């Protein structure tokens, strides 16, 4: 059982938690994730560790409500408990001084790219962050990203904040300005990562993506998270979650993400309905 | 045989009653229902109590088989349970999943002419009797030695080592990566073959003996082996098993609907996907399932698919029924329940629809050629024999390699080219001082009881090491079976 020491909404559907898991707080590195389970009937859900404090023995998780488990997760408050947390899982991000590093975060992916940006900064990189959201009301972590970046560009699809458009536009512009970039980290929805990779590919610019395929155990045992990278089968949980984006078969990955879509959607709407009935 | 001329037992080998095949094909309840006390006594009285005890030689954990069978014959069931548990901490589990026909029962003096004494069924009977009576005894424990041992993995080998070391008075902590202890007993073997309450009950005995079980700990990630020594453990035992699924490397293997047996069984057993949405983890809806492989895991997978409501559940195997490594009992159960078998076929590619969903598999017919290194005749493709079979899920049950997590984070630990940890023999000593290994992580995917046997040997060796820390052995290369399918 792990106590939540702090819980706050970052927008209507995204909540930040600080949870006591001292052994993980001490051992985790940027880019690694945990798997949580909320109870006896619960599923195992992978979540990236956004930050940690080894002093306080806490890790930070940022959760967007997208289904049944995250619906209940975001109902949790300070001093509630998360029964199962296992980690740190996956390989840590490859961090070195690349000169200039561009960190691209799309939506909730901003929470995942944040620890990487922080680690890149600490390794001496000039960090340019591009974070994108559908609209201003979904914006998260602006201050945190500002703190750890040398430069921040914010985009919104509808133009309600920052630049109008997608995260790929400012990246394109950088190439137009002949800016020297050492590496790109792109984390967000699959389609966004795919688009970023398409932008950087003609420039042959090393681009890491963090993949979140369907996962069960997170220790390489089930093979559910297999992805094709460089025409080879890799398990995102133990070989990843980060891979060279230019080598990832996104089409296959995007199709596989939909495996349980209709079942999960039903389960989510059923639970919302029941919950609303109880509330009223 | 030094025994006197064998007399025919008065009664035949007693059958266990079973759930009707057509009913059980629709539920997850256990298939065999166990002996009644009368049946158990009848069966036990068939034993000749031979002086040479050939059965004991066939038991990887050295159970005093004639001893416990005699107690059953006398109606002393609790005493019989105690007798078994002197050597085997998981009797209710082993009585169900051990391949007795290859071990103790194979060597029974009655086996050739009259059918061996049903040792496995008797073992199961006494363990169940004791548990159902609520009289499970916690074994006596030696005074504390002050020594601490960390065990990585709570599968059969880890649990056995933990038991033996705890009994000797050592402080034992078992680290388990999943949220529930038991390893393959929990995530792999289905409820209808091994009810999970039985696993939990047997794990509870360990807890009562003072063994600490820490779930959700992935050693190699949260702590390294060195961290464990720094935490004050005097020795470490690695029993992380064969948890890396093999795929077939044929086109289309990442289509939606293709599962490793590990994933399929974990979803259904550990995560209880059969009860979705009451349980949150789903498994795909399907009508036609095909399963590739011929071992017990393939049988577990295909029978599970049937129970999830498949219209057809077909097992495809590249050799014939005779070469299947699965226990004959499991094959028969599957046949009775309506599983379809296609022998001498091997898949060549999976075919999907425009959404990336599996819709068929293309296979080739095979014929048997010369025997290979395993002694079984090698399947050879028949040219031009391709055919398609419609299916909406496919389960790949062709075996598992060594779980790579610890080795990846412990480069100094010697392994072979398949990632199995090298040891200096049955004592389980690796090339790292104080680090022992055993079970599937050393010998490759095998059986529950072999893993337990390895755990027992390692426990002896760890116990010796705790009082005499010399470490001389260099691990030698082990002969590993090249092919278990």
């Amino acid at each position: 059982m792990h106590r939540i020491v702090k819980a706050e909404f970052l927008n209507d559907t995204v909540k930040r938690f600080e949870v006591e898991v001292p052994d993980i707080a001490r051992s985790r590195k940027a880019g690694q994730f945990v798997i949580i389970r909320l109870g006896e009937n619960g599923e195992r859900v992978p979540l990236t560790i956004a930050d940690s404090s080894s002093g306080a023995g806490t890790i930070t998780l940022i959760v967007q409500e997208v289904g049944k488990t995250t619906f209940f997760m975001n109902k949790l408050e300070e001093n509630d408990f998360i029964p199962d947390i296992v980690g740190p899982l996956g390989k840590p991000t490859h961090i070195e001084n690349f000169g200039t590093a561009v960190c691209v975060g799309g939506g909730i992916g901003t929470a995942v790219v944040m620890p990487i940006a922080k680690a890149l900064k600490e390794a001496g990189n000039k960090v340019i962050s591009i974070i994108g959201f559908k609209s201003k009301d979904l914006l998260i972590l602006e201050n945190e990203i500002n703190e750890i970046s040398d430069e921040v560009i914010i985009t919104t699809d509808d133009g309600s904040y920052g630049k109008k458009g997608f995260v790929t536009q400012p990246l394109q512009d950088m190439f137009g300005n002949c800016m020297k970039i050492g590496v790109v980290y792109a984390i967000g929805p699959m389609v966004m990562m795919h688009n970023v990779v398409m932008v950087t590919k003609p420039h042959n610019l090393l681009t890491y993506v963090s993949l979140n395929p369907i996962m069960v155990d997170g220790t390489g045992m089930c093979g559910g998270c297999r992805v094709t990278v460089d025409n080879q089968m890799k398990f995102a949980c133990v070989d990843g979650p980060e891979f060279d984006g230019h080598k990832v078969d996104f089409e296959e990955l995007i199709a596989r993400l939909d495996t349980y879509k209709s079942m999960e959607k039903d389960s989510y709407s059923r639970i919302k309905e029941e919950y609303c009935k109880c509330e009223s | 045989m030094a025994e006197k001329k064998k007399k025919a037992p008065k009664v035949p080998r007693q059958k266990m009653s079973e759930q009707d095949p057509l009913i059980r094909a629709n539920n997850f309840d256990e298939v065999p229902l166990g002996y009644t006390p009368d049946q158990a006594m009848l069966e036990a009285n068939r034993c000749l109590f031979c002086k040479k005890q050939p059965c004991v030689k066939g038991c990887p954990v050295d159970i005093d088989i004639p001893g416990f069978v005699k107690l059953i014959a006398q109606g002393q069931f609790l005493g019989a349970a105690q007798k078994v548990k002197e050597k085997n901490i998981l009797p209710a589990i082993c009585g169900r999943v051990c391949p007795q026909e290859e071990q103790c029962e194979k060597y029974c003096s009655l086996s050739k002419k009259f059918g061996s004494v049903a040792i496995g069924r008797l073992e199961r009977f006494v363990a169940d009797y004791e548990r159902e009576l609520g009289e499970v005894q916690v074994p006596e424990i030696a005074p504390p030695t002050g020594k601490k041992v960390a065990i990585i993995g709570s599968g059969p080998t880890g649990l056995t080592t933990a038991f033996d070391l705890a009994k000797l008075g050592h402080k034992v902590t078992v680290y388990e990566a999943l949220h529930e202890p038991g390893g393959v007993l929990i995530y792999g073997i289905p409820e209808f073959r091994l009810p999970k309450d039985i696993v939990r009950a047997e794990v509870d005995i360990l807890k009562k003996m003072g063994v600490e079980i820490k779930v959700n700990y992935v050693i190699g990630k949260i702590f390294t082996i060195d961290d464990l020594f720094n935490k004050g453990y005097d020795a470490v035992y690695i029993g992380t098993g064969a948890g890396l699924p093999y795929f077939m490397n044929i086109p289309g293997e990442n289509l939606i609907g293709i599962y490793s047996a590990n994933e399929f069984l974990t979803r259904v057993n550990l995560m209880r996907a059969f009860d979705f949405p009451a349980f949150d983890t789903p498994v795909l809806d399907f009508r036609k399932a095909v399963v590739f492989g011929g071992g017990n895991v393939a049988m577990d997978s295909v029978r599970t698919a049937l129970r999830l409501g498949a219209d057809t559940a077909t097992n495809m195997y590249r050799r014939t029924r005779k070469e299947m490594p699965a226990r004959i009992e499991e094959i028969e159960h599957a046949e009775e329940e309506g599983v379809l078998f296609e022998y001498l076929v091997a898949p060549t590619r999976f075919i999907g629809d425009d959404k990336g969903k599996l819709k068929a598999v293309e296979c080739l017919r095979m014929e048997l050629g010369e025997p290979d290194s395993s002694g079984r005749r090698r399947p050879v493709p028949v040219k031009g024999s391709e055919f398609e079979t419609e299916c909406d899920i496919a389960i790949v049950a062709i075996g598992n390699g060594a779980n790579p997590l610890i080795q990846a984070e412990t480069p100094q630990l010697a392994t072979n080219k398949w990632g199995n940890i090298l040891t200096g023999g049955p004592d389980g000593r690796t090339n790292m001082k104080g680090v022992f290994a055993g079970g599937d992580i050393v010998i490759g995917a095998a059986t529950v009881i072999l893993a337990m046997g390895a755990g027992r040997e390692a426990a002896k060796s760890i116990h010796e090491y705790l009082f005499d820390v010399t470490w001389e052995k260099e691990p030698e290369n082990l002969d590993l079976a090249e092919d278990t399918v």
Side-chain angles (χ1 to χ4, degrees), chain B residues 390-444:
Chain B
E390 204 187 305
C391 56
D392 39 20
I393 69 164
I395 298 156
V396 182
I398 61 164
N400 279 287
N403 187 314
L405 274 174
I406 303 251
Q407 297 88 313
E409 308 295 332
T410 321
Q412 65 272 39
L413 184 65
T415 59
N416 67 11
K417 63 177 173 179
W418 297 284
N420 296 96
I421 296 173
L422 295 175
T423 61
D427 65 6
R429 294 184 178 217
T430 69
N431 67 321
M432 284 175 73
K433 190 176 179 191
V435 179
F436 300 73
D440 284 5
I441 192 65
V442 171
I443 61 169

Side-chain angles (χ1 to χ4, degrees), chain A residues 115-129:
Chain A
I116 296 169
K118 191 173 160 190
L120 286 165
K121 180 73 193 163
E122 282 162 8
N125 288 277
K126 178 181 178 192
V127 173
I128 303 176
S129 296

Side-chain angles (χ1 to χ4, degrees), chain B residues 131-184:
Chain B
R131 189 185 63 255
E132 282 158 17
L133 221 60
E135 304 242 348
V136 177
Q137 300 284 321
V138 176
E140 224 171 282
I141 292 174
T145 61
K147 305 284 183 188
K148 282 172 70 183
V149 181
I151 292 176
I152 310 172
S154 68
T157 202
L159 293 179
T160 305
T161 312
F163 175 87
D164 283 5
L165 291 173
K167 217 165 127 182
L168 291 164
H170 306 305
K171 179 84 193 99
V172 179
T173 309
V174 180
Y175 291 98
E176 165 57 43
L178 288 169
H179 54 260
E180 194 168 350
V184 74

